[in-house]
Amino acid sequence: MLAPADSTLATVPTFNALSDIYTSDLLKHAARFQLLTEAFIATYGFKPSFIVRAPGRVNIIGEHIDYCGFPVFPMAIVPDSLIAVRATREHRIRLANINPKYPSREFSCESGSSVTINNTTHEWTNYFKCGYKGAIEAIDCTNPQGMECLMDSSVPSSAGLSSSSAIVCCAVLATMKVNGRLLPKGDVVETAVASERYIGTNGGGMDQTTSIMSQSQSAVFIEFDPELKITPVKFPSTDPQITFVIANTLVVSDKAVTAPVCYNLRVVETRIGALILAKHLGIADHRACKDADPLTFKVVMDEYFATQDTAGSDDVQVWIDHLDAMLHASTEAFGAHPDGYTREQMAAVLDMTPDALSAAVHEDRFPVRAQQFKLLQRAQHAFSEALRVVKFRQICESGDTRIDYYTALGDLMNCSQDSCRDLFECSCPEIDELCALARRSGSFGSRLTGAGWGGCTVHLVLKDRVGRFIAALKREFYEKHVPNMNDEALSDAIFVTTPGNGAAFYMFD
């Protein structure tokens, strides 16, 4: 159920001026749109009807907790995916890519939602198919239009900036628009989240929500439970200005490929952790816990405190008190197994068979491989990371000029990285090296962003120190690891970003 907020009920906007989409570098963006249009004409012989764009995102703080039901604090970035589209009367979907390394494909759309997705093969068009299939199902379209599509993306792939979700969002929107039923933003988000699961990753919804719902100049505080709620949050006004730099480790980690031992395993660990924590707290038989599918740490926390009277209490303090209590409870619940549980041990705690436990957390759809399940560490990360997100927003909105914003926000980001490395174990040596170097080079806060195990890092840097900071990372990290990178590749690997707009349609005059 979506919150009755204007942002979720509005539809994705349509513009015919790039200045309504981008706030800077308009000539660069205009050249890219022109190149895509000309390439479309060269490929299909006609001009596209429209271009749909969906941005990547950088998560400032709140890693791996969206699927636990907790809020996150990302922002859209300027790099985006574009798909130029023309409707046809044929029952075929034709897909091509500006980048020649991605081969053109086509598939039949006569049967609509029966499109098959082979998620055992790493194929770029699978992400489009996910969005297409989900959109057709969402709008209940029985006689879908054919489409000719040409894609271009400036979001680095497998870098933790949600390049795959940007493609899925574009595909959902293109399919809805071509078939004449564009749903409100909130429904588009739900469709995109469900669609991407066809690829085999059990994501929580942050990436798609950010890509669709973001506003220029604001990060977004996203709450998922009990309903989707989007709150734009501006960063504090400081002098020098707070700036975020994204730096790619260039370690490729495709979460769809590594899901059984990385991403999906962490999801399963938190889901089983929620089941055991609910039993430990004596609320497993409560309707809120029994009916939840999946049961998440957020549902467990809310149900445990459901009878507490918080009227007149400060909302942030309530969050802090509840999360602190859950940190203590998780230590009690899982502390006897500091090195992890076997499947048999977890099943025994829950009075279930191992097969029944696997079914309860949907391993049939999202299989995992592990000998030990580290429930204590995953719970400690989830509750402490949610606490950092709440405090990060509180600091941003405080308006208290006595606060050292750089240090206060940076310390939370650094603690997040420590937790991702030590408790959630989703960092890697290159991320650790880059974050340590960044802090020595002037970053107040440095952490991985995205799923981790490679990909990008994000750094809080003062605006007047950005040039020196980037030069230091280029010299001491990139020249060491990739000594022959050209200037264009370096610019793609490390860059400044500001909060960008969410998804949009560009219509030709």
Side-chain angles (χ1 to χ4, degrees), residues 57-354:
R57 65 97 190 94
V58 58
N59 192 21
I60 303 301
I61 196 164
E63 219 60 74
H64 284 281
I65 60 172
D66 54 343
Y67 53 76
C68 298
F70 289 124
V72 292
F73 199 95
M75 67 184 191
I77 57 177
V78 175
D80 53 11
S81 288
L82 307 177
I83 299 183
V85 182
R86 188 179 82 94
T88 72
R89 295 184 179 180
E90 299 177 284
H91 291 292
R92 305 290 297 174
I93 307 296
R94 292 186 169 87
L95 305 173
N97 198 303
I98 283 281
N99 190 330
K101 83 173 188 177
Y102 298 115
S104 299
R105 305 290 192 209
E106 63 178 79
F107 60 91
S108 170
C109 62
E110 282 187 281
S111 49
S113 63
S114 66
V115 170
T116 58
I117 299 160
N118 181 5
N119 59 21
T120 64
T121 301
H122 189 45
E123 160 68 42
W124 77 273
T125 55
N126 279 348
Y127 293 103
F128 184 95
K129 287 182 177 180
C130 285
Y132 176 84
K133 179 178 174 67
I136 290 297
E137 292 170 350
I139 63 177
D140 194 23
C141 182
T142 58
N143 186 30
Q145 290 276 300
M147 288 192 287
E148 294 171 337
C149 303
L150 180 62
M151 197 189 91
D152 178 35
S153 181
S154 58
V155 187
S157 62
S158 302
L161 300 178
S162 298
S163 59
S164 57
S165 295
I167 297 172
V168 172
C169 289
C170 279
V172 168
L173 290 168
T175 304
M176 288 181 175
K177 188 171 184 66
V178 163
N179 288 284
R181 192 175 173 205
L182 187 59
L183 299 182
K185 285 183 180 181
D187 294 320
V188 172
V189 167
E190 289 187 347
T191 301
V193 172
S195 297
E196 195 160 343
R197 291 179 181 144
Y198 287 128
I199 206 70
T201 52
N202 196 4
M206 169 180 64
D207 302 346
Q208 301 85 353
T209 306
T210 310
S211 191
I212 298 295
M213 305 293 298
S214 288
Q215 299 178 16
S216 179
Q217 307 306 314
S218 293
V220 280
F221 181 80
I222 306 173
E223 299 169 79
F224 301 96
D225 186 89
E227 55 195 4
L228 181 64
K229 183 179 178 182
I230 314 298
T231 305
V233 179
K234 292 186 180 297
F235 294 106
S237 178
T238 58
D239 186 17
Q241 182 181 331
I242 288 173
T243 303
F244 291 98
V245 176
I246 295 175
N248 192 342
T249 64
L250 303 176
V251 175
V252 174
S253 178
D254 188 285
K255 69 181 183 182
V257 174
T258 62
V261 294
C262 292
Y263 191 91
N264 285 355
L265 177 58
R266 296 299 182 272
V267 176
V268 165
E269 287 174 315
T270 65
R271 298 278 161 80
I272 296 175
L275 291 169
I276 293 177
L277 184 59
K279 182 171 182 179
H280 172 79
L281 295 171
I283 59 174
D285 291 333
H286 290 203
R287 180 171 295 277
C289 293
K290 289 174 65 176
D291 291 351
D293 185 17
L295 182 64
T296 64
F297 283 137
K298 175 64 162 51
V299 172
V300 171
M301 184 180 79
D302 287 351
E303 181 59 20
Y304 185 69
F305 291 106
T307 60
Q308 183 184 67
D309 183 8
T310 58
S313 302
D314 177 72
D315 288 345
V316 173
Q317 192 58 50
V318 170
W319 269 103
I320 292 171
D321 292 345
H322 289 183
L323 289 165
D324 279 337
M326 289 296 102
L327 277 168
H328 179 71
S330 63
T331 301
E332 290 183 337
F334 310 120
H337 294 268
D339 297 322
Y341 292 73
T342 64
R343 285 183 182 274
E344 291 73 19
Q345 288 171 328
M346 296 186 299
V349 172
L350 293 166
D351 300 318
M352 305 169 73
T353 66

